[in-house]
Structures are given as C-alpha cells and as structure tokens.
Amino acid sequence: MHELSIALGIVKIAEDETAKAKAKKVTKIELQVGVLSGIEIDSLNFVWESAVKSTVLENAEKVIDIIEGKGKCVDCDTEFEMENIYDCCPNCGSNFKGILKGKELSVKALEVI
Amino acid sequence: MCGTCGCGSENNGPKILKPGEHKHVHGDHHHHQEGHAHSHATHHHHDGHVHTHDHSHDHKSKVLIIEQDILQNNQVLAARNRGYFEAKNIFALNLVSSPGSGKTTVLERTLTDLKDQIPFYVIEGDQQTMNDANKIDALNVPVIQINTGKGCHLESDMVFEAVKKLEMQNNAILMIENVGNLVCPSMFDLGESKRVVIISTTEGEDKPIKYPDMFHTSDICIINKIDLLPYVNVNVQKLKDYALKVNPKLQFFEVSATTGEGMQAWYDWLKIPS
Ligand SMILES: Nc1nc2c(ncn2[C@@H]2O[C@H](COP(=O)(O)OP(=O)(O)O)[C@@H](O)[C@H]2O)c(=O)[nH]1
Ligand SMILES: [Mg+2]
Ligand SMILES: [Zn+2]
C-alpha cells in the first residue's frame, strides 16, 4: 500500500512548511489528487489517521481536490476526458496520447496557526 | 525513514545489508507503542475538526500556498542517482513484477550467462529475508539486499544508500530487483535508466489493463515462463495487445528463464542498450 508512503510524504511537507512559517500546527490541508495519479483516495483516507498521529497534521481538516484526467491524441490532436491511463482516442482509436491533466499529486495549501 | 511513523528509526524502516552482514535492531525505539496507547485513550474525529480548546490567545491562522509535489523528495534523490549512474556509465535497470513472475530467476540466468562479459551489480528488494541476495551472492556478483519491512516498494533514498555500499566500478550494469508488487513501485522513480516489467504466462493476458500504471511507466516487458505455454490457456498476442494499449512504446522479450529459450535477444539488448 503505497498510500502510506504518500501520506508520510505529505506529513513531511507539512512539518517542514509549518516550521518554516514558525507556526505550531496545521488546521486545514488542501491536497490535489489527479484521477490518473495512481493514488486511491479511499486507501489514502484509510492510512491517514495513523500517518498524521502526533504530527502537526493531527486533527487537521483534510480537503482533497480531485483533478479529472485529460489527454490529447498524438495522431489527430483530439482532446478527450480520461478515466484510465489506457483510454484511447475516441475520435481515431489511437493509443498514442499526451496526458494533459490528471497526474497531479500535490499539497496545494496549508492553513496554520 | 521509518516506514510506519516516518521518524528515521532503523527499527521498522528499511534494512540495507550485504550477505553475511548482521542486522542491527535497536531496542530503544518505543514511541510506536506510546502512540498507540494515546490513540486508544483519546477519541479522534475522522476528518479532524479543529478543537476549540486548542485556540491560543493571540495566534491567528494563516494560509500557506505551497503547491508542492508530494513525490518531489523521491524525485530529487532519483535524479541524483541517475546523475551518478550516467557519470559512471552504469546502465541501471529497475525490475518490477508481481511476486513469483520470475525476476530473480531471470536475473540468475542473465548473470550466469553474461557475468564474464559485463560487470554486474545487484540490489535486491524484498520485504523480508536475504534469500534473493544469497542466490546472487552464490554467483559471485556483488549484491546488496534491501529489506523494506512493511514497505511494498523501493524508494530512491534506499537505492542511494545501497549504491553507496556497492562501490561500483565504471561501465557496468546495475540490476535492481524491486519488491514483488505490480502497483506500488510504479510511482517511485529510482533513477533507473530503463524500467523492465516482467509478466509470466501463468498470470492472465489482461494483467496490463488491470495494473496499467506499471505497464505505462515501463520501457521493456519480459514475458517469462514461455515453456509453460502448452499447459496454460493464454494468448500471448492478446497480452501484448493489452500492454500496447496501455503503452504503445513497450518493447517485448519472450523468454523462459528456466530453459533459456529467448534469452539471447534480451542479452543482445542488454549489450547494446538503445
Ligand atoms: N516453468 C518456469 N518456471 C519459472 C520460470 N522462471 C521462474 N520460474 C519459477 O517461478 C518461481 C518464482 O520465481 P522467482 O524468480 O523467485 O520470482 P520473483 O518473485 O519474481 O523473484 C520459482 O519457483 C521459479 O523457479 C520459467 O521461465 N519457467
Ligand atoms: Mg525475487
Ligand atoms: Zn486520435
């Protein structure tokens, strides 16, 4: 379950940023997770509580901004919504595409006190 | 870093060992247990509402906009590994697959056949045991075992530490056998030159679309255990079609690591990496 590593990565970012801002703790954290990022939101929620225990994130409100997937066909330039990394072009059927959106996995903002 | 609490302790974190080296277990790392004790004693709301009694008098909350990639730490160290490999002309391969697809067997066969022509180094990743490292050690190829404990994939900092212990000479091939898992390792760049996914003929042809991230991020796909094709009901062409749907750039080798069939094409690719 790589979501635990991801959660610990989030904790590290929050700890570093909170220290930099000379704040004590985080009251709210905003995450961006793309649907093509490889992260299961349910799994992340499942490990969250144990990952943030005794850290600046303990008790912080967690807001997850889910980013939809979007690709662009290399062969015909059609832009299309993607739910899976293997979705092909709905116009010409090509498997060659660039991913424009949906791989995001980031900490967007922290509210600290 | 400790895989459970992120505290940097050795106790539950990865262990990086040469065959014959002893494991050090530090006995005085107790805050896990303390942490659990607290968790039973206090009630936590699921999404962590701010407790009003935590408000201190003159501290106002402020918002920090940071927009930081969560995998950035891993990527920074992966880039460092990659730079090191390039400077030393080391061709580094990250071998990924489900448990039992044949990573170690492919590795053993490759080393046995090529070690007199090419200097090899190996990093073995498993949750537990030195078994795979001991198999490589028996072939007299330098090897480091990383035991990830609860961790289900290698990360670039572990490889960085293992590489330091390997003391590699220039112009060599480094084989990194990842933890057997078709999901988690896909997100973690180790700094490898190429990623090699191994799938065996006993796994079913739709695996590439069931686990698309791994096939999407790999450069090479080895289809192993082709000696079993007469006994299993699998259509190799269909398997390849699914894999190409996920990643049209994937290059295939069909092999049997036990009989040696098909291995020559893989060796030719290893000798002249494109
Ligand atoms: N029949 C057959 N068995 C194989 C082949 N390659 C590996 N195996 C067997 O598959 C099992 C798992 O192989 P191993 O290399 O340990 O897989 P790993 O977990 O990916 O490292 C072992 O029992 C191997 O002997 C092959 O090409 N053909
Ligand atoms: Mg193995
Ligand atoms: Zn198209």
Side-chain angles (χ1 to χ4, degrees), chain B residues 97 99-100 102-105 107 124-126 132 135 177-178 180:
Chain B
S97 84
K103 295 181 296 301
T104 308
T105 314
L107 210 46
E124 283 290 344
D126 283 292
D132 284 359
K135 288 182 191 168
E177 179 179 338
N178 216 314

Side-chain angles (χ1 to χ4, degrees), chain A residues 1 59 105 107-108 110 112, chain B residues 48 62 64 66-68 70:
Chain A
M1 174 120 76
N59 299 324
L105 188 57
V107 179
K108 198 171 159 194
L110 296 171
V112 296
Chain B
K62 64 179 164 189
L64 312 172
I66 51 179
E67 316 230 338
Q68 193 181 328
I70 293 161

Side-chain angles (χ1 to χ4, degrees), chain A residues 73 76 89 92:
Chain A
C73 178
C76 76
C89 172
C92 76

Side-chain angles (χ1 to χ4, degrees), chain A residues 7-17 57, chain B residues 1 73:
Chain A
L8 293 174
I10 295 169
V11 167
K12 182 164 190 322
I13 291 171
E15 295 272 357
D16 291 351
E17 294 295 329
L57 280 175
Chain B
M1 184 172 77
N73 260 330

Side-chain angles (χ1 to χ4, degrees), chain B residues 169-197:
Chain B
Q169 61 174 75
N170 293 353
N171 310 314
I173 295 182
L174 171 65
M175 298 283 204
I176 306 168
E177 179 179 338
N178 216 314
V179 180
N181 183 321
L182 218 39
V183 181
C184 308
S186 71
M187 295 180 67
F188 297 88
D189 184 6
L190 305 179
E192 68 264 26
S193 320
K194 299 280 179 190
R195 188 172 292 184
V196 179
V197 61

